[in-house]
Each structure stands twice: as structure tokens, then as C-alpha cells.
Amino acid sequence: MTPYFTSIATYNEAIQIPPPARKDFDVRRFEDNMPLVNTFMPPFRHNFYQVALLEEGTGTFKSNGQRNMLGQPALFFVIPGQVIQWNIPRDWKGFYVSFGEDFTIPSTTALALPQEYRFFASDTIKFCSLGDEPLAQLTSLFEQMRQEYRGSQSPDVLRAFLRLLLLYSHRHYCEQEFSREQIISQAPLTRKFEMVLGEDFKGIQLGLVLSPKSVADYADQLHVSPKYLSEMLKRETGLTTLEHIHQKIVFLAKVMLATTDMPVVEVSRLLGFQNQSYFNRLFRKYTHQTPSAFRVRQ
């Protein structure tokens, strides 16, 4: 079975580098890792996002079956559940940041990172080559973020740096991508599901949609059977259709709890729950805390 690391700390331990200073965020220079890091990693998954800036370095990095021979400046991206592996020498220079989706609350303007940043969608190429100007720009931004991380570690400042990094990365990535119309017309089932799911939950947040759809509703909208939809999503993302819906419900609940004074019972109602106790159980299942406890810690 492919190893699955459920935290940045367990990932760092597995690749043999020091633990992170925060449980939900970590930014490092490759040069600092190189003397210690495990230079060969067989296939594995983890449950957080990563953006890496490779200034120099060679070897092979493989993601979801796509082999990438390194050797030129590039950005690359890793999403939760993605199967990755590498075989590299100790010549890497650059930076990378690891972060959980929760760390982006409340700075993210969308309901989920894959809808806001194209390179985090499940069906996309995870590399982006860089010229001299964007390389210098992103190197400077990464270094500022790293200095903040090594200093005061203000979460608001770190979120601001991360937001800028994602926006600049998106700009350079999209310069090498298809137009939006081409993306939609060529989108495989997983991408189409992510798009309609994201739009539905934006509608819930805006009060335009009354409650989340069921698995059967999404399957019908995508013209496939519920079983086939869940099997495809499980194979490509590691999650079933229902688990995707539940994760989106919990994430939207976190946004509401963190950014409004809305009572928990009202949050529960807006997310389609007639019984608040069931909402509480679902929230606890994915976060290991109650909605009220989550709000207190924000």
C-alpha cells in the first residue's frame, strides 16, 4: 500500500529533515535540506499542498505517473492525495512551501484552492518553466516568506506572502496553459465534478443555493452512474463522491465560523442539516473538534 502522510511533521520525518515550526505551514530552502534529505523516495501521498521553486537541480520527480526530468528553473505543485516519488542528487537549490487548506482561512477568496488556482486542479500538469524575470521575482518572495517564518511567524503575514506566491504562480502558470474555454471542453470527469461542486458551494455561501446536492444529483448532472463517479474519483483523488461533498461542507463551515458571528445552529441549517448533532458529528470526524471549539481557536 502507498504510504500516506497525514501531517507535515510525519512527511518531514519520512524524508529525514527536521520537523516544521508550525503544524500547518512550513517553508524551506532546498539547500538546507540537501545534506539530510532522503534522495530516493518510492511512491507516497500526503494530505497538504506544496509549491516548490527549483532554481537549480537535476534528477527525476514523478507525480501521478508523469515523469519530469529536471534541469531548468521551474515551479512545481503538489496537491493532497497526489502520488509522488523522486530520485535526485544533492544539487537542488530553491525553495518550497507546505501548507494545509485550513491555513488559507480566511485569506482565500474562493471556497477551495482547486477552483481558485488552476495548478491545484486534479487533472493539470504540475510543472511550469520560468524565465529570468519571474524566477527573480519568486525567489525574492520566497526568501521574504522564509525570513518571516524564521522570525515572528505571524500567521497573517505568512498568509499574505502565501497569497502573493499563489497569485504570481497562477499568472506564470496560466501563460503556459490552455484558455478557459479549451479547459472546460477538454475537462475529464474529475475536473468537471470539481468545477460543478465548487460552483454549487459558492452558491450556498452566497445564499443562491439552498443546500448541497446528493451523490446521485451530481452523477445525474455529469451523465454517469453514482457508482462510476465514485469509483473514478476514488481512483484519481483517493476520495469518494460523498467524501468530496463532506470535505467541502466542513471547509465552508470553517469559513463561516472563522469569518462571521453566525450561531452554529444557523451554520448547520445553511449547510442543509436539519439535525445539528449530525452536523457536529461530521465536523468532528474531519477536524477532531466541535464547531464551537474550532471558532474559539480562530
Side-chain angles (χ1 to χ4, degrees):
M1 177 178 287
T2 303
Y4 183 71
F5 305 122
T6 58
S7 68
I8 298 173
T10 56
Y11 165 78
N12 285 11
E13 181 180 8
I15 69 172
Q16 300 178 3
I17 64 172
R22 296 179 56 95
K23 69 176 183 178
D24 54 0
F25 183 92
D26 192 27
V27 59
R28 296 174 183 259
R29 292 194 311 178
F30 284 124
E31 297 95 307
D32 298 332
N33 284 359
M34 287 299 103
L36 302 171
V37 73
N38 189 344
T39 57
F40 173 76
M41 284 294 294
F44 67 91
R45 302 173 186 255
H46 57 58
N47 71 341
F48 48 88
Y49 291 88
Q50 289 182 311
V51 178
L53 171 65
L54 184 66
E55 298 176 82
E56 299 178 21
T58 56
T60 303
F61 182 92
K62 191 173 182 180
S63 60
N64 278 3
Q66 177 189 344
R67 185 180 299 275
N68 299 276
M69 301 301 295
L70 306 173
Q72 62 180 351
L75 280 169
F76 53 95
F77 312 94
V78 179
I79 63 176
Q82 180 181 340
V83 178
I84 58 177
Q85 64 186 99
W86 65 68
N87 187 5
I88 59 171
R90 299 189 187 275
D91 64 352
W92 281 32
K93 293 183 180 180
F95 301 86
Y96 73 94
V97 59
S98 306
F99 60 96
E101 188 171 48
D102 287 358
F103 184 76
T104 66
I105 300 172
S107 62
T108 184
T109 59
L111 291 180
L113 294 170
Q115 277 73 51
E116 189 166 6
Y117 303 106
R118 174 66 182 144
F119 46 74
F120 283 148
S122 62
D123 66 310
T124 53
I125 295 172
K126 300 301 180 191
F127 278 73
C128 169
S129 59
L130 293 173
D132 291 342
E133 185 175 341
L135 176 62
Q137 179 189 62
L138 292 167
T139 297
S140 175
L141 183 55
F142 257 113
E143 181 57 37
Q144 292 178 72
M145 183 163 57
R146 190 178 77 94
Q147 291 301 326
E148 177 66 24
Y149 182 68
R150 288 162 59 90
S152 66
Q153 290 192 22
S154 164
D156 289 336
V157 176
L158 290 173
R159 286 190 189 99
F161 278 128
L162 178 61
R163 175 73 169 164
L164 278 174
L165 173 66
L166 295 177
L167 288 170
Y168 282 132
S169 297
H170 197 249
R171 172 191 294 173
H172 300 309
Y173 182 89
C174 288
E175 289 173 355
Q176 301 174 36
E177 259 273 319
F178 294 111
S179 68
R180 176 168 173 79
E181 290 75 18
Q182 290 173 309
I183 290 170
I184 293 173
S185 66
Q186 299 177 19
L189 181 62
T190 299
R191 176 60 177 156
K192 288 178 180 177
F193 171 74
E194 289 175 342
M195 293 167 69
V196 297
L197 184 68
E199 289 301 317
D200 283 347
F201 275 81
K202 287 180 184 177
I204 292 172
Q205 187 179 35
L206 295 172
L208 303 176
V209 177
L210 295 180
S211 63
K213 292 177 181 176
S214 68
V215 172
D217 290 333
Y218 283 111
D220 185 62
Q221 185 174 350
L222 296 170
H223 309 294
V224 296
S225 71
K227 181 180 179 181
Y228 180 77
L229 178 59
S230 279
E231 287 177 348
M232 290 296 293
L233 290 172
K234 182 71 173 180
R235 187 177 74 183
E236 296 187 20
T237 70
L239 300 175
T240 66
T241 312
L242 186 61
E243 288 170 333
H244 275 281
I245 295 170
H246 283 171
Q247 283 201 347
K248 194 74 73 177
I249 287 171
V250 171
F251 183 73
L252 180 51
K254 288 178 180 178
V255 172
M256 292 179 174
L257 292 167
T259 61
T260 75
D261 295 325
M262 192 182 301
V264 174
V265 65
E266 182 65 11
V267 171
S268 172
R269 187 190 65 78
L270 288 175
L271 291 173
F273 291 87
Q274 301 298 320
N275 186 330
Q276 187 186 334
S277 63
Y278 179 65
F279 168 70
N280 289 347
R281 287 198 299 273
L282 180 68
F283 193 92
R284 183 188 286 273
K285 175 183 177 181
Y286 284 91
T287 67
H288 306 292
Q289 58 187 320
T290 66
S292 297
F294 172 82
R295 169 171 275 167
V296 167
R297 290 172 181 158
Q298 295 308 297

